[in-house]
Amino acid sequence: MTPPWLLLAVLALVWLRAGVLGDTSWGGLYPRESPSREVRSLDGLWNFRLAPLLDPDKGFREHWYSQPLSLTGPVISMAVPSSYNDITQDKALRDHIGWAWYDRSFYVPVRWQEDKLRVVLRLGSAHYNSIVYVNGVEVAKHEGGHLPIMAEISSHLSFSQENLVTVAINNTLTPTTIPQGSIHFHNDPTRYPAGYFTQSYNFDFTNYAGIHRPVFLYTTPRIYIEDILLTTAVDGTSGIINYTITTGSVQMGPHRLGDIGCSLKVLNQEKKYVTSAIGCRGTIVLSNASLWWPYLMSDNPGYQYTLMVAVSSASGDLDFYPQKVGIRSVGWNSTTLTINGVPMYLRGCGKHEDADIRGKGLDYPLVVKDFSLLKWLGANSFRTSHYPYAEEIMDMADQEGIMVVDECPAVGLSGFGEVLMNKHILVMRELVRRDKNRPSVIMWSVGNEPQSNQEAAANYFRSVVKATHEDDPTRPVTCVLNRGPIEFAASSLDVILVNRYYSWYGDTGHLEVIKLQTITEFTEWFVLHNKPVMISEYGAGSIAGLHMDPAFTWSEEYQVELMLQNFEAFDKLRSQGFFVGEMIWNFADFATPQGSKRVAGNKKGVFTRNRQPKTAAHVLRWRYHSLAGTTQQLGNRTALWRHIFS
Ligand code: GCB
């Protein structure tokens, strides 16, 4: 029998093996094709094997990464991108805690070697902790489940034979991971088998694991565009783009590369030339600019120009990168949020990356469907509750004019020690660096529902918010709170977001108290903190198809009546001038671990997990289009709702 202390030691060891955050904290520009860059997908079916629960280190001890996994034991096929949990009938796979191993082979063209190209491997994300090997050599380590992992692999490749990429992933959460979790060993041999352990965490969504986002190989020349930083402003009818281009270079051979120069061309949405600029840093002023506006705030929402950025050197290398830019300004004061100088009211949803079979794996049909539904609702925003979403989703938000509160994975934090804080700051830095140029991102959220009634939260959040502002002074920073108006985190924030479930978790069944309680509490938040306030979660669970009248908890009627009571409160709060938005919880039903408080998942969706509307979705649609002043666009099918609400 393995003694628990030994297991603990082994877990700690493998944990340490996964290294420290920061090794690959820059995931690089999203892989895009250009005249100088090739992009190849490594998505598809990979080989896969779990490490044994009670011998988590086996794969490292036996060097599973140094040859194809199929040669060191049995493998199954695993879809990439996808979570691995719900793909098979195997409970052990669904509930696994510890290391999981993936590999696949690939070829690279000899031409890449002849042209002396720099080859980069990039995973959009892998949850939670990952180590990446190419041909048996470790090329990257990354801690954190929702941000990209990048490694330059040129010197590890074979151009004449098959190459092997291996990824080891560990989903174990600890008190110093973000988010936190803990492993519990159950040592009573009369009640549990030898070595028995479980994992718990302070959030309700399933801790899905796997290679969740696309895997790409891409090339750049030896001199390449490393990063691009854009900020934009609006001056009357002019749009201002401030840009800084960072270059990188790899010496492949003895000759000197010489000075590096930058230039860029601005193309409009029709890809027609608008203007150009020279220099690695500068400002472009576009007269009569087309601004980036949110959905339903303009006839052409989500307008983006393309900057074709180029770098060159005396030796003639040239790299190009097409970078989109949406020109807009975001402003805030003690009562108001503005976009392009116009006050905004956020009407949206808290979401999850979640669907059956694929879990948190990126799924293009689902991305298109979700944006179609958001627009059908008349929503202008969502929050990436409770972690950064895939870049492909963020691209859609930019393009469709959907505003995003961009949240890091710090959900339900407690403890607030220095180790956690430093990691939290690094995660925010990674997130800001990834999403800094996105017009859709109008606010950073440093977390959801921390236990910030603990005094240690005051300094902790001051530091995290300060670091976020240092990296990006152009957007407000929030943290989603739920403790009560006296919160230690609140004083550091620019905007107060609060989750509140009146008549669901408290006063259950008493819909009549919602209006009074909501108005009282949100007014208090404003009075105490003198900052714009919004509700970032409210809602009720409903089982699609369950109808009860008078309304009863879990029925569709209860969910709808709870919403209607909330709307009355929101309208009152809005009229007082500091209430800047409402986001319902949740866009769709989503998976949660097994438990006695959830019925096969969290059912607070206005859509089912399969994205079909509950009654609540129709009601929300009416509400959001009314707020936008666009109910006349809804057509005859909504005559019923017009009738109900008039
Ligand atoms: C919350 C959390 C969210 C949960 C929700 C609920 O406050 O932020 O992650 O899913 O409540 O339904 O309980």
Side-chain angles (χ1 to χ4, degrees):
M1 180 185 116
T2 322
W5 62 265
L6 183 63
L7 264 178
L8 194 59
V10 169
L11 266 179
L13 198 106
V14 290
W15 191 243
L16 283 176
R17 180 191 287 286
V20 286
L21 192 84
D23 289 346
T24 49
S25 65
W26 169 225
L29 292 167
Y30 187 84
R32 298 195 195 280
E33 289 191 321
S34 79
S36 59
R37 293 178 172 224
E38 274 181 62
V39 180
R40 290 189 145 205
S41 169
L42 291 184
D43 292 353
L45 296 181
W46 290 45
N47 300 308
F48 179 87
R49 178 158 77 239
L50 294 179
L53 263 193
L54 299 188
D55 186 7
D57 217 12
K58 188 167 183 203
F60 297 103
R61 219 175 43 243
E62 295 182 356
H63 301 231
W64 287 357
Y65 47 85
S66 64
Q67 53 185 317
L69 272 179
S70 58
L71 300 182
T72 52
V75 290
I76 62 167
S77 291
M78 182 52 65
V80 172
S82 179
S83 300
Y84 59 68
N85 310 74
D86 293 346
I87 287 266
T88 73
Q89 308 312 111
D90 188 356
K91 178 176 173 314
L93 187 50
R94 186 191 67 195
D95 299 339
H96 183 68
I97 304 164
W99 290 101
W101 290 77
Y102 289 73
D103 82 6
R104 67 158 284 170
S105 54
F106 62 95
Y107 282 97
V108 285
V110 181
R111 181 173 43 81
W112 287 5
Q113 187 183 34
E114 290 164 358
D115 293 349
K116 295 195 172 68
L117 296 178
R118 176 176 163 262
V119 183
V120 179
L121 173 68
R122 188 185 197 264
L123 290 74
S125 77
H127 189 79
Y128 171 81
N129 202 341
S130 43
I131 310 181
V132 183
Y133 305 86
V134 169
N135 295 329
V137 177
E138 182 184 308
V139 294
K141 278 176 176 169
H142 186 264
E143 180 176 341
H146 312 275
L147 289 162
I149 303 158
M150 178 183 69
E152 197 209 313
I153 59 168
S154 326
S155 58
H156 304 294
L157 288 172
S158 163
F159 292 87
S160 51
Q161 287 169 17
E162 234 183 17
N163 293 281
L164 181 70
V165 54
T166 309
V167 183
I169 300 181
N170 194 328
N171 61 351
T172 310
L173 301 178
T174 75
T176 57
T177 55
I178 292 188
Q180 295 166 306
S182 36
I183 299 288
H184 309 276
F185 292 94
H186 300 268
N187 298 332
D188 179 350
T190 64
R191 299 182 64 219
Y192 297 99
Y196 192 83
F197 66 96
T198 52
Q199 170 158 261
S200 66
Y201 36 82
N202 190 21
F203 49 89
D204 74 340
F205 56 94
T206 300
N207 187 37
Y208 278 115
I211 301 180
H212 281 155
R213 298 184 187 156
V215 182
F216 291 113
L217 277 183
Y218 68 90
T219 64
T220 75
R222 291 173 297 169
I223 294 177
Y224 57 95
I225 300 158
E226 165 79 10
D227 197 5
I228 300 165
L229 170 65
L230 305 173
T231 59
T232 63
V234 179
D235 182 9
T237 56
S238 297
I240 297 162
I241 305 170
N242 302 302
Y243 67 90
T244 306
I245 299 159
T246 320
T247 55
S249 70
V250 182
Q251 286 285 0
M252 293 168 109
H255 56 264
R256 283 200 55 219
L257 295 170
D259 288 341
I260 294 175
C262 307
S263 63
L264 41 84
K265 269 191 205 141
V266 183
L267 309 176
N268 67 13
Q269 210 161 39
E270 289 73 45
K271 298 282 159 71
K272 298 264 160 46
Y273 175 86
V274 178
T275 187
S276 53
I278 291 187
C280 294
R281 172 191 283 264
T283 297
I284 299 169
V285 180
L286 299 181
S287 51
N288 290 322
S290 298
L291 301 185
W292 189 94
W293 284 103
Y295 175 58
L296 299 183
M297 270 181 99
S298 141
D299 292 341
N300 192 4
Y303 191 100
Q304 292 183 89
Y305 293 88
T306 300
L307 303 181
M308 185 51 94
V309 177
V311 300
S312 57
S313 81
S315 67
D317 296 83
L318 268 180
D319 189 20
F320 297 94
Y321 188 84
Q323 171 67 52
K324 291 213 167 143
V325 57
I327 301 174
R328 56 105 183 95
S329 64
V330 171
W332 67 98
N333 59 26
S334 61
T335 56
T336 315
L337 285 173
T338 59
I339 183 135
N340 302 332
V342 178
M344 62 168 116
Y345 184 73
L346 298 176
R347 26 169 229 280
C349 306
K351 282 186 99 268
H352 267 298
E353 288 181 315
D354 175 88
D356 62 351
I357 305 172
R358 53 198 75 50
K360 292 201 178 303
L362 178 82
D363 182 52
Y364 287 108
L366 193 73
V367 175
V368 176
K369 180 74 177 173
D370 279 7
F371 277 89
S372 161
L373 290 175
L374 282 167
K375 290 171 74 176
W376 178 86
L377 282 175
N380 64 4
S381 54
F382 66 86
R383 174 166 63 110
T384 69
S385 39
H386 296 305
Y387 38 80
Y389 289 1
E391 290 151 284
E392 294 78 3
I393 296 176
M394 303 300 284
D395 283 348
M396 277 290 275
D398 289 340
Q399 177 189 305
E400 301 298 321
I402 300 291
M403 295 181 280
V404 178
V405 177
D406 203 356
E407 187 158 289
C408 88
V411 45
L413 291 193
S414 62
F416 307 115
E418 207 176 317
V419 175
L420 191 72
M421 185 184 81
N422 290 334
K423 266 193 200 173
H424 197 157
I425 289 174
L426 275 177
V427 171
M428 278 313 301
R429 296 214 139 120
E430 264 183 85
L431 173 61
V432 171
R433 197 156 178 203
R434 191 195 73 165
D435 287 349
K436 60 188 178 294
N437 294 334
R438 296 191 174 279
S440 61
V441 175
I442 48 119
M443 199 185 312
W444 304 110
S445 165
V446 300
N448 180 73
E449 298 187 358
Q451 295 183 17
S452 48
N453 49 342
Q454 299 170 4
E455 218 172 323
N459 277 333
Y460 182 99
F461 280 97
R462 198 167 305 118
S463 306
V464 176
V465 171
K466 184 166 167 270
T468 309
H469 268 311
E470 276 164 13
D471 284 9
D472 181 10
T474 71
R475 293 174 176 93
V477 178
T478 190
C479 180
V480 176
L481 307 174
N482 77 333
R483 298 281 139 176
I486 303 194
E487 283 249 10
F488 290 100
S491 60
S492 320
L493 310 176
D494 301 309
V495 185
I496 307 267
L497 270 65
V498 178
N499 297 343
R500 202 49 88 213
Y501 288 91
Y502 288 127
S503 300
W504 185 255
Y505 288 124
D507 294 308
T508 315
H510 296 279
L511 295 163
E512 60 280 9
V513 303
I514 292 176
K515 198 172 156 193
L516 177 64
Q517 295 187 358
T518 306
I519 293 171
T520 307
E521 183 182 342
F522 281 78
T523 307
E524 205 180 333
W525 279 102
F526 173 67
V527 169
L528 268 173
H529 298 288
N530 197 31
K531 294 172 180 179
V533 179
M534 68 172 264
I535 189 157
S536 36
E537 288 182 22
Y538 69 99
S542 75
I543 307 295
L546 178 67
H547 293 283
M548 296 178 88
D549 183 57
F552 203 84
T553 45
W554 296 104
S555 67
E556 295 206 30
E557 283 76 8
Y558 193 90
Q559 186 181 28
V560 164
E561 287 191 27
L562 180 138
M563 288 161 64
L564 295 177
Q565 290 298 317
N566 271 285
F567 297 160
E568 285 192 34
F570 302 160
D571 288 341
K572 175 79 186 152
L573 288 165
R574 254 192 111 184
S575 71
Q576 294 174 3
F578 59 82
F579 194 70
V580 294
E582 56 188 85
M583 288 194 185
I584 199 163
W585 191 257
N586 185 284
F587 174 76
D589 294 346
F590 60 89
T592 60
Q594 301 188 64
S596 48
K597 291 195 185 131
R598 299 280 190 255
V599 194
N602 187 315
K603 301 293 186 204
K604 294 193 187 72
V606 297
F607 298 103
T608 63
R609 203 177 186 211
N610 278 336
R611 278 39 181 189
Q612 292 305 326
K614 300 181 190 173
T615 313
H618 293 282
V619 173
L620 195 65
R621 184 176 192 224
W622 183 263
R623 163 90 182 157
Y624 284 177
H625 279 281
S626 304
L627 288 170
T630 51
T631 48
Q632 73 288 351
Q633 293 176 11
L634 297 182
N636 291 338
R637 273 184 39 199
T638 51
L640 174 64
W641 303 109
R642 190 184 304 266
H643 179 69
I644 292 172
F645 289 104
S646 57

